[in-house]
Amino acid sequence: MLIRQYLTLLPAVLPFALPALACESCEHPENDVVLTRNVRRMQPDAENATVSPRGPLAWGQLNFLQTTDTHGWLEGHLKEKNYGADWGDFVSFTRDMRAKARRLNVDLLLVDTGDLHDGAGLSDATGMNGGVNGQVSNAIFENVDYDLLTIGNHELYVSDVAYETFSGFAKHYGDRYLTSNVQIKDPSTGAWEYLGKQYRYFTTEQGIRIMAFGVLFDFKGSSNASRVITAADMVKQSWFTSALNYSKPIDLFVLIGHNPIRPTVSSSTFATVFNAIRAVKPDTPVQMFGGHSHIRDFVVYDDKSTALESGRYCETLGWMSMTGLSSTHSSPCAIVKSPRNVPNPTMKAKKVGSSTETASAYLASSTSSSNLVYSRRYLDWNRLTFEYHAAGSQVRTFDTPKGLSVSANVTASRQQLNLTSLYGCAPQTWCQSCAPFLSSGNIFSLLQTALSAVVVNTSRAEIPRLIIINTGSIRFDLVKGPFTYDDSFIVSPFADSFQYLPNVPYSLASKVLAALNAGPYQKHRRDLSTRDFSFSSLDPSLDSCLDPPPTHPHMPKRAFGRVVRRQSTSLTPGYTTTDDFGSDGDDTPHSKIPYYAQPNDLQANASFPADGSMPQAVDLVFLDYIAKNVLQAVQALGLNVSQRDVSYYLPEAFTTNSYLPAYAQKYWQANVPTCPVGLGVGFNDTS
């Protein structure tokens, strides 16, 4: 049975009846929203935030909500209360916000800028055993009625994912899915065609005429099923020139893209497209929405043009509003540029302070004065935030039948994919960069221990070994609480296997790590490729290297040691953002999470002499991903070896996605199945 067909059947297997969905084809769907009370909210093992937003949003003539780089996190962050909402909560929020916009007689547009795959089990687990990554998560994602979407590079690494995006996701959203510079090869004819639409011209409910494009950065790592046209070439194509000179009036250009928004970032191509627009339309406002760099940011391009980027992993929902646009409303007197009884935008498109690098050398500019004003806000992804902004009150429950149905589908899908299966209880929180390298709260201190304990070739177990991995093999923090099959994807989705050089003199092997970290033997940042996401068969019920974890089917709903916390006014650790408009963009105030740089590589050792002496020789174990770098380092240090001397230390199926589950099954069984849950990254959860 196809996954999309299966999803429609999920409610039938749930332990409770779901309400009927609200009418989706009505002109004003807010009329069909049915408010419910005393219903299950978020995911069963998630909790809500305790710190509320700092105040209402500023509503303008035109308003936007943006998501980007969701990477399959549609269940939300189950162990981090700042980001605990799920996709069903977001569905309810967007419907209520659209209703609010109509009551204010203003426009609200929903935008997503790509990367729906590779990062959490809900997207990644379906890539196992003949399925396609994203089959379940895409169908859940499609419950949000976006106005504009575009593609990310993670939709293009694997041909099956690209074709599923083309035949399913792009068709679902139709002319709203924009891939201005991404083409796919028709498998039946071999001809190239655009994966989505090249542009969209439309008029909003309040009469604003928009021309929109969707531009991916100049990505070169796609499979042979797709290709990316560089932005420099795209802006020279006749269709683009024709769109700029469209036969109907354009009040606003909207440029969306899986593309860093700051033009000083080397991989960003927004400046190329913006300058091409300005060459033809020097005074038409341009609003941009980016992604890819996983940060919160807002950039001023000129006095009529700004850009917003809204984080990653369902941690952030971006809000942007603007006032001062032209409109073709049938009744000019009815145009609302400053909606009443709500805050309104007040900021001119002018950079505040000197904390961000200037981009003026990269950009063209408008040639006339501007009366446009703006606001931007970065919302934490939790129900407390959603309820506050959707209803303006913490008394009213904002759930809609459709939102509840989507939440139920997320729960059922996670169970069906075995994502809740438990390997063990992580006894503390370890983060990637919030603590110094190898300190007690740093994840790489845990990895040293885990690598030493479980990366063992039994036939060579007594031979001392050094084990080297790149720190880029870790994608996210590991939070205190249940360590599940889902977490194995969240923390380390990469499928890099362990190779080795046998019997390397210790006097030489001990210098390899320093050589790698000093360069030039390794790239500073991981360059993702298709094989990085070729997951080994690590479904706990199927894996031949690991025993299946206990599933505890009769576990009570709140078995993971949750406690109910009252709303608090004290700051919690989280985002503290500074952008071109200053440092007031974060919707919820937070205390700053420290940041510490981490080296390229990490080393663990095992089976060293018990008397503390150094061995004469060791097995030098390393990931196949960095094998070339290790060989270059070893050769530079004077050892005469080549690729022929390298072999696999463990079966190729045992990967970087395997060793933490193996370690958890052996060493983290205390408190199973009722794992105590910590407070999240940035809190003192080290014990």
Side-chain angles (χ1 to χ4, degrees):
M1 181 182 296
L2 293 175
I3 295 291
R4 290 174 183 269
Q5 294 174 327
Y6 158 73
L7 280 173
T8 64
L9 301 178
L10 285 177
V13 301
L14 295 174
F16 53 87
L18 291 173
L21 296 185
C23 172
E24 295 304 311
S25 61
C26 304
E27 181 180 359
H28 297 293
E30 74 274 11
N31 295 333
D32 301 296
V33 175
V34 179
L35 301 181
T36 56
R37 289 178 169 80
N38 300 319
V39 293
R40 180 176 56 77
R41 304 171 179 178
M42 306 182 292
Q43 289 301 292
D45 45 351
E47 65 175 313
N48 207 356
T50 58
V51 180
S52 62
R54 59 184 175 84
L57 298 172
W59 285 79
Q61 176 190 8
L62 177 60
N63 308 275
F64 296 88
L65 287 170
Q66 185 208 7
T67 55
T68 189
D69 293 272
T70 52
H71 287 284
W73 284 78
L74 306 187
E75 73 270 29
H77 292 239
L78 303 182
K79 291 175 284 186
E80 293 188 277
K81 59 186 179 181
N82 286 344
Y83 319 115
D86 68 20
W87 204 249
D89 299 318
F90 183 51
V91 167
S92 293
F93 177 67
T94 58
R95 288 171 61 81
D96 206 40
M97 291 292 276
R98 285 204 190 274
K100 191 170 185 175
R102 289 192 177 102
R103 289 195 297 271
L104 294 172
N105 292 314
V106 296
D107 285 309
L108 173 64
L109 302 180
L110 272 57
V111 175
D112 182 79
T113 50
D115 266 12
L116 278 60
H117 303 79
D118 305 326
L122 199 61
S123 60
D124 299 354
T126 52
M128 315 281 288
N129 306 307
V132 178
N133 182 308
Q135 280 181 301
V136 164
S137 57
N138 277 7
I140 294 170
F141 186 98
E142 288 167 6
N143 283 283
V144 174
D145 187 26
Y146 282 97
D147 298 281
L148 296 169
L149 310 91
T150 193
I151 199 165
N153 53 298
H154 281 265
E155 279 73 78
L156 300 177
Y157 284 115
V158 179
S159 295
D160 286 347
V161 174
Y163 281 122
E164 167 66 14
T165 302
F166 173 62
S167 62
F169 192 80
K171 298 297 186 290
H172 174 84
Y173 283 107
D175 67 352
R176 294 172 287 171
Y177 192 64
L178 305 179
T179 62
S180 301
N181 66 329
V182 180
Q183 296 181 325
I184 194 164
K185 184 183 291 185
D186 187 317
S188 60
T189 67
W192 291 98
E193 59 182 291
Y194 284 90
L195 199 148
K197 302 299 182 182
Q198 292 155 277
Y199 63 91
R200 182 188 181 201
Y201 179 86
F202 65 105
T203 303
T204 67
E205 290 182 8
Q206 302 301 325
I208 299 170
R209 298 159 296 191
I210 293 175
M211 175 63 75
F213 305 105
V215 181
L216 179 64
F217 71 97
D218 290 347
F219 175 56
K220 295 178 172 60
S222 61
S223 74
N224 58 11
S226 61
R227 67 183 183 187
V228 178
I229 302 164
T230 67
D233 288 338
M234 185 202 77
V235 298
K236 299 174 186 175
Q237 293 179 331
S238 59
W239 74 263
F240 182 78
T241 303
S242 297
L244 295 185
N245 294 288
Y246 201 64
S247 58
K248 297 179 181 179
I250 298 172
D251 301 316
L252 175 71
F253 287 101
V254 174
L255 173 59
I256 68 172
H258 196 73
N259 220 316
I261 62 172
R262 196 159 288 276
T264 51
V265 175
S266 60
S267 60
S268 176
T269 60
F270 267 10
T272 300
V273 184
F274 173 78
N275 289 340
I277 294 172
R278 275 286 168 262
V280 178
K281 299 288 185 178
D283 293 311
T284 304
V286 182
Q287 182 57 47
M288 289 159 274
F289 296 91
H292 184 59
S293 47
H294 292 189
I295 62 172
R296 295 178 173 185
D297 201 9
F298 184 82
V299 177
V300 173
Y301 274 58
D302 66 17
D303 63 353
K304 300 181 184 68
S305 305
T306 68
L308 179 72
E309 187 171 344
S310 302
R312 63 172 190 175
Y313 302 164
C314 290
E315 292 174 341
T316 301
L317 176 62
W319 169 266
M320 210 287 301
S321 61
M322 59 192 304
T323 288
L325 293 165
S326 300
S327 172
T328 59
H329 197 289
S330 57
S331 176
C333 295
I335 297 174
V336 176
K337 295 192 175 183
S338 298
R340 301 176 65 180
N341 301 319
V342 292
N344 303 135
T346 60
M347 297 284 289
K348 291 283 190 177
K350 183 178 180 181
K351 179 184 164 188
V352 174
S354 57
S355 57
T356 54
E357 184 179 356
T358 182
S360 59
Y362 296 80
L363 303 173
S365 62
S366 65
T367 58
S368 65
S369 61
S370 172
N371 63 351
L372 291 169
V373 287
Y374 299 83
S375 76
R376 55 77 180 96
R377 195 83 72 84
Y378 309 105
L379 281 60
D380 284 356
W381 192 276
N382 60 66
R383 276 187 60 105
L384 184 63
T385 292
F386 290 173
E387 289 179 337
Y388 178 91
H389 290 305
S393 167
Q394 298 308 305
V395 177
R396 195 196 106 181
T397 299
F398 82 141
D399 295 284
T400 64
K402 183 175 182 180
L404 292 172
S405 176
V406 172
S407 292
N409 277 349
V410 171
T411 302
S413 297
R414 283 173 47 77
Q415 294 171 346
Q416 181 72 20
L417 294 170
N418 211 18
L419 297 177
T420 57
S421 294
L422 185 63
Y423 288 118
C425 298
Q428 69 169 72
T429 292
W430 289 275
C431 64
Q432 289 179 283
S433 58
C434 74
F437 184 61
L438 297 184
S439 66
S440 61
N442 178 263
I443 195 169
F444 300 111
S445 65
L446 166 67
L447 301 191
Q448 270 195 335
T449 303
L451 290 165
S452 298
V454 301
V455 179
V456 184
N457 180 328
T458 55
S459 67
R460 304 179 65 83
E462 301 305 315
I463 300 174
R465 58 193 178 276
L466 294 178
I467 307 164
I468 298 176
I469 67 170
N470 61 310
T471 56
S473 64
I474 297 300
R475 189 165 175 84
F476 198 68
D477 311 301
L478 198 163
V479 179
K480 178 180 179 179
F483 184 76
T484 64
Y485 180 43
D486 193 11
D487 290 296
S488 73
F489 292 103
I490 288 170
V491 176
S492 183
F494 306 105
D496 301 327
S497 302
F498 292 89
Q499 296 183 324
Y500 80 116
L501 287 168
N503 304 315
V504 178
Y506 177 74
S507 59
L508 186 151
S510 62
K511 299 176 182 177
V512 172
L513 179 66
L516 288 171
N517 281 331
Y521 303 111
Q522 188 179 353
K523 294 179 180 178
H524 178 64
R525 295 182 66 185
R526 187 178 183 92
D527 183 16
L528 300 180
S529 64
T530 300
R531 57 97 58 215
D532 292 326
F533 293 98
S534 300
F535 300 112
S536 57
S537 180
L538 276 178
D539 183 318
S541 66
L542 302 173
D543 179 35
S544 60
C545 300
L546 302 175
D547 294 327
T551 56
H552 307 289
H554 304 297
M555 187 185 300
K557 282 186 177 181
R558 301 290 284 187
F560 287 158
R562 295 286 183 181
V563 295
V564 177
R565 297 178 175 86
R566 294 186 180 275
Q567 185 172 330
S568 171
T569 57
S570 60
L571 297 184
T572 59
Y575 280 95
T576 55
T577 308
T578 299
D579 57 26
D580 279 10
F581 266 12
S583 57
D584 62 348
D586 294 309
D587 186 51
T588 301
H590 289 292
S591 58
K592 187 172 184 177
I593 298 176
Y595 174 81
Y596 297 89
Q598 308 294 313
N600 287 336
D601 296 284
L602 162 77
Q603 179 176 282
N605 62 58
S607 299
F608 271 43
D611 61 6
S613 63
M614 294 300 104
Q616 293 297 310
V618 297
D619 284 345
L620 183 61
V621 184
F622 45 87
L623 300 180
D624 54 4
Y625 175 78
I626 60 170
K628 180 179 178 180
N629 308 99
V630 172
L631 279 175
Q632 289 174 346
V634 169
Q635 291 164 352
L637 289 167
L639 189 64
N640 184 21
V641 293
S642 68
Q643 185 62 46
R644 292 190 300 272
D645 301 301
V646 175
S647 57
Y648 281 95
Y649 183 74
L650 290 171
E652 202 170 344
F654 190 91
T655 71
T656 44
N657 185 238
S658 309
Y659 68 89
L660 276 176
Y663 181 80
Q665 285 186 313
K666 190 171 183 180
Y667 296 102
W668 287 352
Q669 295 308 296
N671 298 311
V672 170
T674 55
C675 304
V677 179
L679 297 175
V681 176
F683 292 88
N684 185 22
D685 281 340
T686 57
S687 62

